[in-house]
Amino acid sequence: MSIALIIVAAGRGTRAGGTQPKQWQMLAGKPVLAHTIDSCQTALRSAGRDARLLLVLHPDDMARGLELTGGTVTLIAGGESRDASVRNALEALEHQNIDKVLIHDGARPFLPETVLTGVLDALQTLPAAAPALPVSDALWLGDRARVAGTRDRSGLYRAQTPQGFHYDAILAAHRCHQGPAPDDVEIARSAGMDVAITLGHEDNLKITYPADFARAEAILRARKDARMDVRLGNGYDVHAFTEGDHVILCGVEIPHSKALLGHSDADVGMHALTDAIYGALAQGDIGRHFPPSDPQWKGAASWIFLDHAAKLAGEMGYRIGNADVTLICERPKIGPHAPAMMAELARIMGCEASRVSVKATTSEKLGFTGREEGIAAIATVTLIAD
Ligand SMILES: Nc1ccn([C@@H]2O[C@H](COP(=O)(O)OP(=O)(O)OP(=O)(O)O)[C@@H](O)[C@H]2O)c(=O)n1
Ligand SMILES: C[C@](O)(CO)[C@H](O)COP(=O)(O)O
């Protein structure tokens, strides 16, 4: 099925006020229209759909449209009315092998994926579908600021976009239609098309009046808060020294007069970091995922554990915010090897090296680390929801 998505943004936004049309006014640092295009592209991507994008602009706005889209979207000059703008885009799609077309207001900056898929799914069986929300408030008839009557709200809906159609049918409907129309559903119905009502969304607001900018900002703020999911984990590990000539710390082999004793390669720093990630995910510790009783992990390289923990974080929807590892030992000296350790840990976790810290401290010759009986490591990690 080949789909086109038309975004109509050629209006002058007279009701919204401001020094320029509402679709060009700034919302959280970028024009409303940039939010609309981004949300359409994100919804399509999340829904696993591909669509040809057409942006209908006022003839005066073509240059800034090109600047905004960088030439990735087809620009069409709009008309005097919304239906004339839509018609121009529909005509431009003739002979382009388009089966289905979605028509969306440029003034609706937050298209939820569920609204998009609801319309596309309904188009499998009907020639037209559009999202709407049932009217929930009581309805009054007003006369000079007095209630002059009430009206039954049952069966009434607030229409939204994108409104979706079988391409050939809506093009024919537009060509036949006379007079103004508030939306494409009206044009489709006047041509006898059966239109399904799909579920709209409160976030899918249309900026119409000045107060709608504040509503749009509140939606953006709520979404940002919902994304503020940060998890913190810590890990601690100790390995004793044994006879040997090198240690492996945070993935780096360092010549030393002793080795670290362990079931795996005894990389105490990497183990602490791995446990910190499991801890942040509330997924136990290394022993749970790689039991020491299982002979297959004997002598295993510790990157296998860290790689597993980092991938598990990714599968659960998190990426590394930052990681901080402290090695506690008198010797070997860690400082000269710290940059290589940070680079190796970052490589394994799939994050930028600037997000990883490795540092060291002695314990002033106190305790088992001070007596050089072994090395301890502590690690802290933050995970950020994607
Ligand atoms: N000649 C027109 C008129 C409207 N639209 C678009 O249709 C959508 C919905 O219309 P509306 O909210 O009425 O926008 P405006 O016409 O710009 O607003 P107003 O009526 O307040 O002037 C908007 O994205 C608007 O840019 C369009 O492409 N071409
Ligand atoms: C299609 C539409 O968004 C339906 O709500 C339409 O553009 C609304 O325009 P209106 O002039 O604000 O009614």
Short mmCIF file of all heavy atoms in Angstrom, two decimals, residues 241 244-260 267 327 329 331-338 340-341 358 375:
data_model
loop_
_atom_site.label_atom_id
_atom_site.label_comp_id
_atom_site.label_asym_id
_atom_site.label_seq_id
_atom_site.Cartn_x
_atom_site.Cartn_y
_atom_site.Cartn_z
N PHE A 241 44.47 -11.11 45.77
CA PHE A 241 45.66 -11.35 44.94
C PHE A 241 46.12 -12.80 45.07
O PHE A 241 45.92 -13.45 46.11
CB PHE A 241 46.82 -10.44 45.40
CG PHE A 241 46.75 -9.04 44.83
CD1 PHE A 241 46.81 -7.94 45.68
CD2 PHE A 241 46.65 -8.83 43.45
CE1 PHE A 241 46.78 -6.65 45.17
CE2 PHE A 241 46.61 -7.54 42.94
CZ PHE A 241 46.66 -6.46 43.80
N GLY A 244 51.18 -14.33 40.20
CA GLY A 244 50.98 -14.04 38.78
C GLY A 244 51.78 -12.84 38.36
O GLY A 244 52.53 -12.26 39.16
N ASP A 245 51.62 -12.46 37.08
CA ASP A 245 52.45 -11.35 36.58
C ASP A 245 51.63 -10.23 35.94
O ASP A 245 52.18 -9.31 35.36
CB ASP A 245 53.48 -11.87 35.58
CG ASP A 245 52.82 -12.57 34.40
OD1 ASP A 245 51.56 -12.54 34.32
OD2 ASP A 245 53.54 -13.15 33.58
N HIS A 246 50.28 -10.30 36.03
CA HIS A 246 49.48 -9.20 35.50
C HIS A 246 48.07 -9.24 36.10
O HIS A 246 47.65 -10.29 36.61
CB HIS A 246 49.40 -9.25 33.96
CG HIS A 246 48.54 -10.37 33.46
ND1 HIS A 246 49.03 -11.65 33.27
CD2 HIS A 246 47.22 -10.41 33.14
CE1 HIS A 246 48.03 -12.42 32.84
NE2 HIS A 246 46.94 -11.68 32.75
N VAL A 247 47.41 -8.11 36.05
CA VAL A 247 45.99 -8.06 36.44
C VAL A 247 45.21 -7.49 35.25
O VAL A 247 45.79 -6.79 34.40
CB VAL A 247 45.75 -7.17 37.68
CG1 VAL A 247 46.34 -7.79 38.93
CG2 VAL A 247 46.30 -5.75 37.47
N ILE A 248 43.92 -7.83 35.20
CA ILE A 248 43.04 -7.22 34.18
C ILE A 248 42.05 -6.33 34.93
O ILE A 248 41.29 -6.81 35.79
CB ILE A 248 42.32 -8.28 33.35
CG1 ILE A 248 43.36 -9.10 32.57
CG2 ILE A 248 41.31 -7.64 32.39
CD1 ILE A 248 42.79 -10.28 31.83
N LEU A 249 42.10 -5.04 34.64
CA LEU A 249 41.22 -4.09 35.33
C LEU A 249 40.48 -3.25 34.29
O LEU A 249 41.12 -2.64 33.41
CB LEU A 249 42.03 -3.18 36.26
CG LEU A 249 42.67 -3.87 37.47
CD1 LEU A 249 43.59 -2.91 38.22
CD2 LEU A 249 41.61 -4.43 38.42
N CYS A 250 39.17 -3.24 34.37
CA CYS A 250 38.32 -2.49 33.42
C CYS A 250 38.73 -2.80 31.98
O CYS A 250 38.80 -1.90 31.13
CB CYS A 250 38.38 -0.99 33.70
SG CYS A 250 37.71 -0.57 35.32
N GLY A 251 39.02 -4.07 31.73
CA GLY A 251 39.30 -4.52 30.37
C GLY A 251 40.72 -4.29 29.90
O GLY A 251 41.04 -4.62 28.76
N VAL A 252 41.56 -3.75 30.77
CA VAL A 252 42.93 -3.44 30.34
C VAL A 252 43.92 -4.33 31.11
O VAL A 252 43.84 -4.43 32.35
CB VAL A 252 43.25 -1.94 30.58
CG1 VAL A 252 44.73 -1.64 30.29
CG2 VAL A 252 42.35 -1.07 29.72
N GLU A 253 44.83 -4.96 30.39
CA GLU A 253 45.82 -5.82 31.05
C GLU A 253 46.99 -4.96 31.53
O GLU A 253 47.57 -4.20 30.75
CB GLU A 253 46.31 -6.87 30.05
CG GLU A 253 47.19 -7.92 30.69
CD GLU A 253 47.56 -9.04 29.72
OE1 GLU A 253 46.66 -9.56 29.02
OE2 GLU A 253 48.77 -9.35 29.65
N ILE A 254 47.30 -5.09 32.82
CA ILE A 254 48.38 -4.27 33.40
C ILE A 254 49.42 -5.21 34.01
O ILE A 254 49.08 -6.04 34.88
CB ILE A 254 47.81 -3.35 34.52
CG1 ILE A 254 46.67 -2.48 33.96
CG2 ILE A 254 48.91 -2.47 35.11
CD1 ILE A 254 45.95 -1.67 35.02
N PRO A 255 50.68 -5.10 33.59
CA PRO A 255 51.74 -5.93 34.21
C PRO A 255 51.82 -5.63 35.71
O PRO A 255 51.74 -4.47 36.11
CB PRO A 255 53.02 -5.47 33.49
CG PRO A 255 52.55 -4.77 32.26
CD PRO A 255 51.21 -4.21 32.56
N HIS A 256 51.94 -6.69 36.52
CA HIS A 256 52.00 -6.48 37.97
C HIS A 256 52.72 -7.69 38.58
O HIS A 256 52.84 -8.75 37.94
CB HIS A 256 50.57 -6.36 38.53
CG HIS A 256 50.52 -5.89 39.95
ND1 HIS A 256 51.21 -4.80 40.41
CD2 HIS A 256 49.84 -6.38 41.05
CE1 HIS A 256 50.98 -4.62 41.69
NE2 HIS A 256 50.14 -5.58 42.10
N SER A 257 53.14 -7.54 39.83
CA SER A 257 53.87 -8.64 40.48
C SER A 257 52.92 -9.72 41.01
O SER A 257 53.37 -10.74 41.53
CB SER A 257 54.71 -8.07 41.63
OG SER A 257 53.86 -7.30 42.46
N LYS A 258 51.63 -9.47 40.91
CA LYS A 258 50.62 -10.45 41.37
C LYS A 258 49.50 -10.52 40.33
O LYS A 258 49.41 -9.67 39.45
CB LYS A 258 50.02 -10.00 42.71
CG LYS A 258 51.01 -9.89 43.84
CD LYS A 258 50.34 -9.26 45.06
CE LYS A 258 51.37 -9.11 46.18
NZ LYS A 258 50.81 -8.46 47.36
N ALA A 259 48.62 -11.50 40.51
CA ALA A 259 47.41 -11.59 39.67
C ALA A 259 46.21 -11.57 40.61
O ALA A 259 46.36 -11.71 41.82
CB ALA A 259 47.43 -12.88 38.87
N LEU A 260 45.01 -11.37 40.04
CA LEU A 260 43.80 -11.44 40.86
C LEU A 260 43.17 -12.81 40.70
O LEU A 260 43.12 -13.38 39.60
CB LEU A 260 42.81 -10.34 40.45
CG LEU A 260 43.21 -8.92 40.88
CD1 LEU A 260 42.30 -7.88 40.23
CD2 LEU A 260 43.18 -8.77 42.41
N ASP A 267 38.22 -9.45 36.77
CA ASP A 267 38.27 -7.99 36.50
C ASP A 267 37.31 -7.30 37.47
O ASP A 267 36.11 -7.11 37.19
CB ASP A 267 37.89 -7.72 35.04
CG ASP A 267 38.10 -6.26 34.67
OD1 ASP A 267 38.07 -5.40 35.57
OD2 ASP A 267 38.27 -5.99 33.47
N LEU A 327 38.56 2.29 41.67
CA LEU A 327 39.36 1.11 42.05
C LEU A 327 40.11 1.47 43.33
O LEU A 327 40.68 2.56 43.44
CB LEU A 327 40.35 0.77 40.93
CG LEU A 327 39.68 0.37 39.60
CD1 LEU A 327 40.68 0.39 38.46
CD2 LEU A 327 39.03 -1.00 39.72
N CYS A 329 43.14 0.40 45.58
CA CYS A 329 44.35 -0.43 45.68
C CYS A 329 45.58 0.45 45.91
O CYS A 329 45.55 1.64 45.55
CB CYS A 329 44.54 -1.29 44.43
SG CYS A 329 44.66 -0.34 42.90
N ARG A 331 48.62 -0.66 44.70
CA ARG A 331 49.30 -0.90 43.44
C ARG A 331 48.49 -1.92 42.65
O ARG A 331 47.80 -2.75 43.30
CB ARG A 331 50.72 -1.44 43.68
CG ARG A 331 51.68 -0.37 44.21
CD ARG A 331 53.09 -0.92 44.38
NE ARG A 331 53.12 -2.19 45.09
CZ ARG A 331 53.73 -3.29 44.62
NH1 ARG A 331 54.39 -3.28 43.48
NH2 ARG A 331 53.72 -4.42 45.32
N PRO A 332 48.56 -1.99 41.35
CA PRO A 332 49.33 -1.13 40.46
C PRO A 332 48.76 0.30 40.40
O PRO A 332 47.60 0.51 40.79
CB PRO A 332 49.20 -1.81 39.10
CG PRO A 332 47.87 -2.50 39.19
CD PRO A 332 47.73 -2.95 40.61
N LYS A 333 49.53 1.22 39.89
CA LYS A 333 49.06 2.58 39.71
C LYS A 333 48.05 2.59 38.55
O LYS A 333 48.33 2.05 37.46
CB LYS A 333 50.23 3.53 39.39
CG LYS A 333 51.13 3.77 40.60
CD LYS A 333 50.36 4.55 41.68
CE LYS A 333 51.05 4.45 43.04
NZ LYS A 333 50.11 4.36 44.18
N ILE A 334 46.91 3.18 38.80
CA ILE A 334 45.81 3.13 37.81
C ILE A 334 45.86 4.31 36.83
O ILE A 334 45.54 4.16 35.65
CB ILE A 334 44.45 3.11 38.55
CG1 ILE A 334 44.37 1.91 39.50
CG2 ILE A 334 43.29 3.10 37.55
CD1 ILE A 334 44.53 0.55 38.84
N GLY A 335 46.28 5.49 37.34
CA GLY A 335 46.20 6.72 36.55
C GLY A 335 46.64 6.58 35.10
O GLY A 335 45.90 6.97 34.18
N PRO A 336 47.83 6.02 34.85
CA PRO A 336 48.30 5.95 33.45
C PRO A 336 47.40 5.09 32.55
O PRO A 336 47.41 5.24 31.34
CB PRO A 336 49.68 5.31 33.58
CG PRO A 336 50.08 5.48 35.01
CD PRO A 336 48.81 5.52 35.80
N HIS A 337 46.64 4.18 33.18
CA HIS A 337 45.81 3.26 32.37
C HIS A 337 44.34 3.71 32.30
O HIS A 337 43.56 3.12 31.55
CB HIS A 337 45.86 1.85 32.99
CG HIS A 337 47.25 1.33 33.14
ND1 HIS A 337 48.00 0.87 32.08
CD2 HIS A 337 48.05 1.24 34.24
CE1 HIS A 337 49.19 0.50 32.50
NE2 HIS A 337 49.26 0.71 33.81
N ALA A 338 43.99 4.74 33.09
CA ALA A 338 42.57 5.12 33.18
C ALA A 338 41.96 5.48 31.82
O ALA A 338 40.84 5.05 31.51
CB ALA A 338 42.39 6.25 34.19
N ALA A 340 42.59 4.38 28.84
CA ALA A 340 42.32 3.16 28.07
C ALA A 340 41.16 2.39 28.68
O ALA A 340 40.32 1.80 27.98
CB ALA A 340 43.58 2.28 28.03
N MET A 341 41.09 2.40 30.01
CA MET A 341 39.97 1.70 30.69
C MET A 341 38.63 2.34 30.34
O MET A 341 37.65 1.65 30.04
CB MET A 341 40.18 1.75 32.21
CG MET A 341 41.38 0.96 32.69
SD MET A 341 41.54 1.21 34.48
CE MET A 341 42.92 0.13 34.83
N VAL A 358 36.84 6.42 35.18
CA VAL A 358 37.56 5.43 36.00
C VAL A 358 38.59 6.20 36.82
O VAL A 358 39.37 6.98 36.26
CB VAL A 358 38.27 4.36 35.13
CG1 VAL A 358 39.10 3.43 36.02
CG2 VAL A 358 37.26 3.56 34.31
N ILE A 375 42.18 -6.26 45.60
CA ILE A 375 41.70 -4.98 45.06
C ILE A 375 40.17 -4.94 45.23
O ILE A 375 39.49 -5.96 45.03
CB ILE A 375 42.06 -4.82 43.57
CG1 ILE A 375 43.59 -4.80 43.41
CG2 ILE A 375 41.46 -3.54 42.98
CD1 ILE A 375 44.06 -4.60 41.97
#
